[in-house]
């Protein structure tokens, strides 16, 4: 018997009929996040260059703190969108385990 490729159906953010979960960010949101992440990527390359050039440690640490703060901002945006769409949709669908999943994620972010 021949296998047929069937796309995974997504019901809202993160919920799927299969093993794969996906979000549904707007193109504007994806573009904004990608832009922020590109800047962070540049910051990380800059930090690497500072270390290679034996830049004063305090200056490197300041740049690391800036990169961490920028990543935190990306995480906050994603968390806000996740709460306003994914979590609400799943709780309304009776999938209350999403709250426990969210708590685990928040604990990871707060480390």
């Amino acid at each position: 018997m021949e296998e047929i490729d069937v796309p995974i159906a997504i019901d809202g953010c993160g919920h799927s009929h299969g093993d794969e979960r996906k979000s549904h960010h707007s193109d504007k949101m994806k573009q904004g996040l990608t832009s922020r992440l590109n800047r962070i990527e540049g910051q990380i390359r800059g930090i690497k260059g500072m270390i290679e050039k034996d830049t004063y440690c305090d200056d490197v640490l300041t740049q690391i703190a800036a990169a961490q703060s920028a990543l935190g901002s990306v995480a906050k945006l994603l968390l806000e969108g996740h709460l306003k769409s994914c979590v609400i949709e799943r709780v309304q669908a009776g999938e209350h385990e999403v709250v426990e999943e969210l708590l685990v994620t928040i604990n990871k972010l707060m480390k």
Side-chain angles (χ1 to χ4, degrees):
M1 184 178 263
E2 189 176 302
E3 283 189 41
I4 300 173
D5 250 351
V6 178
I8 297 173
I10 306 292
D11 293 333
C13 179
H15 183 68
S16 65
H17 301 291
D19 294 335
E20 187 177 3
R21 295 189 304 174
K22 293 186 178 183
S23 63
H24 52 83
H25 301 296
S26 69
D27 287 341
K28 183 178 178 182
M29 174 72 150
K30 282 192 261 188
Q31 185 178 16
L33 292 172
T34 300
S35 177
R36 284 173 181 255
L37 290 169
N38 286 337
R39 284 195 300 273
I40 294 166
E41 185 177 23
Q43 283 180 293
I44 300 301
R45 282 194 304 271
I47 292 166
K48 181 181 174 188
M50 291 173 80
I51 290 171
E52 289 169 350
K53 294 175 186 172
D54 294 322
T55 303
Y56 184 59
C57 297
D58 191 60
D59 295 338
V60 177
L61 291 167
T62 297
Q63 291 304 310
I64 290 172
Q68 287 173 322
S69 177
L71 272 174
S73 293
V74 170
K76 287 176 190 175
L77 287 171
L78 282 169
L79 181 59
E80 181 182 343
H82 185 55
L83 285 167
K84 288 181 176 179
S85 62
C86 309
V87 174
I88 288 173
E89 289 173 9
R90 290 185 60 196
V91 167
Q92 288 173 343
E95 298 177 42
H96 298 284
E97 67 274 6
V98 71
V99 175
E100 196 60 40
E101 175 186 279
L102 178 62
L103 291 172
V104 169
T105 299
I106 289 172
N107 280 326
K108 288 177 186 176
L109 287 171
M110 294 179 76
K111 283 187 177 182

